[in-house]
Amino acid sequence: MHRSKLPLTVWFLAAHLMATHSNGMSAVQLEAQLGITYKTAWLLAQKLRRSMIDPHREPLEGVVEVDQAEVPFRADNSFFDPVKSGKILIAGAVEVIDRGTNQAKPRRKRAKYLDTRSGRIRLAAIPDNSAASIEAFVRANVKTGTTLLTDGHRSYPGLTDYRHDPRTVGKMAGHIVLPWIHRVFALMKRWGLGTYHGLRRKHIDTYLNEFVFRYNRRFYRHVSFETMLGLASHHHPTSYWDIVGRDNPRKGVPTVRRQPRRRRTATGMRADGPRPPEKLEPSPVSDLTRQPLDVE
């Protein structure tokens, strides 16, 4: 809200809609609900998403399922086809909690975790499926000494300060041996397709943090609005130029355009650039100048 020209009522209404709505709110929906322009709604939603993460949140502990999934993403504004689109690699972790005690209880290796439910989750985009990327995600989101329920990927045994309990999938479906993390991935994919008609690679972490915020508070949705306002007070103001990752031209830093600006002309769209040199037509020469001069 720092130096914002929008009324506080618009900020609070947008925060309430994004925090309490079961499926979230896209910029197009905020534009219709609040009566503002799309650019304002997009910037408002981006700032609120960055306020949904707690900078001092506790890591996951107890028993945690960890896995990776590929999510289709949109490359442009054309019709979104999940089959022909690219893929984003997402790493996820979810706490496994006993229904009876409402606590995480590690069991002997290869034992089945029946009568359980999912607790808190963490999601993040990773560049590849290498051991370095997976270990970095686990160490950043899971407490040391936690029991990791995985699919037996070769990257997890390198986490020696964790209790590794692999579940070999083989020909069996992954959601049979790791039910809760696959349920989270399924809900995330359906949420991305239903609310945003396909996520984009840019700003992917902010959208994942929004899903994590709403999922972790699915049983306490009535207090999500107050929680968002409390978390927003612990964040520094974020400007438009910080969100798009460019320098502010008003501060004397020239803006570098990735593509030349295009203008609409009578013959169609034309990219800006140096104009072609104008052709100079020869001036008409009179008959008097063509006559030879008499030299005495």
Side-chain angles (χ1 to χ4, degrees):
M1 302 180 186
H2 180 65
R3 300 176 62 181
S4 176
K5 297 180 181 179
L6 291 177
L8 292 180
T9 53
V10 176
W11 277 95
F12 288 140
L13 182 56
H16 184 271
L17 291 174
M18 293 192 64
T20 59
H21 199 276
S22 59
N23 295 328
M25 299 288 290
S26 63
V28 176
Q29 293 173 305
L30 285 179
E31 176 189 5
Q33 292 285 342
L34 304 178
I36 56 181
T37 62
Y38 174 79
K39 292 183 178 180
T40 304
W42 181 86
L43 182 60
L44 184 61
Q46 288 292 339
K47 289 186 176 182
L48 290 176
R49 290 190 187 100
R50 283 163 172 77
S51 302
M52 289 183 174
I53 179 173
D54 186 1
H56 306 292
R57 60 184 180 182
E58 296 293 332
L60 307 182
E61 58 183 350
V63 181
V64 177
E65 290 185 6
V66 184
D67 202 2
Q68 306 86 36
E70 290 184 346
V71 180
F73 72 92
R74 298 186 61 169
D76 50 25
N77 294 325
S78 61
F79 177 75
F80 177 65
D81 187 359
V83 178
K84 300 180 181 179
S85 63
K87 302 293 183 180
I88 306 176
L89 191 60
I90 305 296
V94 55
E95 290 179 337
V96 180
I97 300 176
D98 290 347
R99 291 185 180 272
T101 60
N102 204 25
Q103 298 290 333
K105 182 180 179 181
R107 305 179 184 179
R108 60 181 177 82
K109 285 191 175 183
R110 303 186 183 278
K112 295 183 179 180
Y113 283 82
L114 302 177
D115 196 20
T116 58
R117 67 175 182 86
S118 62
R120 299 176 299 162
I121 67 171
R122 296 286 187 271
L123 295 173
I126 56 178
D128 47 38
N129 209 14
S130 63
S133 301
I134 296 177
E135 289 183 7
F137 168 77
V138 173
R139 295 188 184 279
N141 296 279
V142 182
K143 188 177 180 180
T144 304
T146 301
T147 300
L148 301 179
L149 303 181
T150 67
D151 57 355
H153 195 274
R154 292 179 296 178
S155 302
Y156 297 106
L159 299 168
T160 56
D161 45 355
Y162 293 86
R163 182 173 179 264
H164 188 207
D165 189 0
R167 305 303 172 98
T168 304
V169 177
K171 298 181 180 180
M172 188 182 302
H175 68 273
I176 301 298
V177 293
L178 299 174
W180 296 116
I181 188 60
H182 283 85
R183 181 170 297 185
V184 170
F185 286 147
L187 292 174
M188 178 193 62
K189 292 178 181 179
R190 180 51 50 194
W191 165 76
L193 291 175
T195 304
Y196 301 107
H197 302 284
L199 299 176
R200 299 178 184 271
R201 183 179 295 276
K202 194 173 183 179
H203 311 298
I204 182 62
D205 286 328
T206 59
Y207 289 95
L208 296 179
N209 289 332
E210 178 190 359
F211 181 81
V212 170
F213 174 87
R214 190 171 293 107
Y215 187 90
N216 290 343
R217 293 163 181 82
R218 62 193 183 279
F219 300 123
Y220 314 99
R221 194 168 295 157
H222 58 284
V223 298
S224 299
F225 173 62
E226 299 178 3
T227 304
M228 177 186 288
L229 296 182
L231 294 177
S233 62
H234 294 85
H235 288 268
H236 294 287
T238 305
S239 65
Y240 167 79
W241 302 105
D242 296 333
I243 295 176
V244 299
R246 290 187 293 174
D247 295 323
N248 188 351
R250 298 178 181 177
K251 294 184 178 181
V253 181
T255 302
V256 179
R257 297 187 179 276
R258 298 180 180 178
Q259 296 180 355
R261 181 178 295 175
R262 298 170 61 86
R263 298 180 184 274
R264 186 181 298 276
T265 62
T267 58
M269 299 298 294
R270 178 178 62 83
D272 282 356
R275 294 185 177 180
E278 298 181 358
K279 296 182 179 179
L280 300 177
E281 297 181 358
S283 59
V285 182
S286 61
D287 296 338
L288 297 177
T289 58
R290 294 179 180 177
Q291 294 178 0
L293 299 176
D294 296 335
V295 180
E296 294 180 357

